[in-house]
Structures are given as C-alpha cells and as structure tokens.
Amino acid sequence: MTYSKRVTELQRIYSLTPEDVFFCMLVASGATRQEAYAAIYRPTTNGTGTIASKANALQKNKPGISQLIEAIQYQRSGADTPTKTNSPKEDAAKIAESNKVDKKTLDTFRSKDGILEGLIKVLPSVTGKDKAAVLIQIADLQRMKQEENKEEAEQVVYYHPVSCFRCALYAEHKKKQKEEARKDADI
C-alpha cells in the first residue's frame, strides 16, 4: 500500500510504522488512545482494559509516538500557521517575519565548523540512508577543512619585459601595416 508524502515523511522522521503515524493523527484529532488503538490495530480482544494497556505499552515502547502527537497538536493549535488575520498583506508580513533567521544562526552555518556541529547534532536522530548521507557529508567537510589547512607554497612569478621587436603582437601588427601599405600602393 502506498502512503502520502506526509505520512512517509513523518514515518521517517519519528522512526514509526505507517499505522503508528495514523494512530498519532487520530489521538491528536481528539480520539482517546483506546479508540485510536482499536481503529488502527484492530485487536482481537474486546476489553477496554486490555486495549488501554496495549495502547499505553505501544506509546512507552515507541517514544516517537508521543513526540509526533505533541507535534501534530502543536501544528493544529495554530502556533505554526501565522495566517490568522483577514488581510493577505498582514499574512504575508507574518510569514516573512517567521521565516527570518537570526544573524548568529546564519553566521554559524556559513562556516564549515558550524555546519559540522549542526550535522553532528542531527546524527543521533536520523537512521538508515539518511544517517549514511549525513556521515558522508561530515567526512567531506572534514576533508575540505584539512585541505584548507594545508599551506601551499606560494609560487613567485617574475615578468621580464620583452623588447618590442621580439614581441609576437608587435610583429603581427607590423606585418598587417606592411600588407595595408602594399594594398594602398597597388590601388
């Protein structure tokens, strides 16, 4: 079965199964944990006590579930969506203001050390192919940093003036002048 981009993205970010993501969405929408568990996992027992214990065990075993529920509730509370006014100009201004990055953060990620620190902080939260990609980026940045630290001996270049008679440009110019003088004399 194929799932939407949002579900697969949430699945990857929080290291959950698609069913877990749907469970979180139902709980964040206002369903009780027991109702969401019964709807998504379809347990074979009918008792609410056993369903409640299974729902609690599921949440304890997978910490990403409670994190995702909180994230979805936060988004639905309107804190993440600045478009609460009636004017499109005000909405655009609020969106632009929320997208601004402070100068310290910007300066941090402009340097190789800052980027390395950011990648190292992200490393524990990623898994699989993403973790491999982050490790490759860290290795590349460390290699670039080593290459930057190597001081290359500067090569000193001396320019010797060439007399006009030995210069190729001068000789070509003189040749054109002679050809033009012959053409003028022939006319």
Side-chain angles (χ1 to χ4, degrees), residues 37-48 50-51 54:
Y37 188 86
I40 299 299
Y41 297 104
R42 299 181 187 189
T44 55
T45 59
N46 299 8
T48 56
T50 56
I51 292 176
K54 287 183 179 181

Side-chain angles (χ1 to χ4, degrees), residues 94-165:
K94 285 185 178 183
I95 290 171
E97 187 176 311
S98 68
N99 288 340
K100 286 184 182 176
V101 178
D102 64 337
K103 186 172 180 160
K104 184 179 179 184
T105 305
L106 191 60
D107 290 341
T108 301
F109 286 107
R110 283 188 178 162
S111 69
K112 290 179 185 168
D113 293 330
I115 295 171
L116 279 171
E117 286 178 23
L119 288 172
I120 290 170
K121 286 179 185 176
V122 169
L123 192 59
S125 64
V126 294
T127 58
K129 290 181 181 179
D130 295 332
K131 189 168 191 169
V134 169
L135 289 171
I136 289 171
Q137 289 175 347
I138 289 172
D140 289 344
L141 282 171
Q142 286 176 338
R143 243 182 266 126
M144 288 173 56
K145 191 174 173 186
Q146 288 174 353
E147 290 172 4
E148 182 180 281
N149 291 337
K150 290 181 183 176
E151 293 184 24
E152 296 180 15
E154 289 188 31
Q155 186 177 16
V156 180
V157 179
Y158 294 100
Y159 293 97
H160 297 284
V162 178
S163 64
C164 288
F165 300 109

Side-chain angles (χ1 to χ4, degrees), residues 164 167-179:
C164 288
C167 178
L169 294 173
Y170 178 77
E172 187 179 328
H173 179 68
K174 281 294 186 182
K175 186 177 179 182
K176 286 182 182 178
Q177 281 183 342
K178 286 181 185 179
E179 289 176 9

Side-chain angles (χ1 to χ4, degrees), residues 76-89:
R76 289 190 178 161
S77 70
D80 202 29
T81 56
T83 58
K84 288 280 185 186
T85 62
N86 295 331
S87 167
K89 287 184 180 180

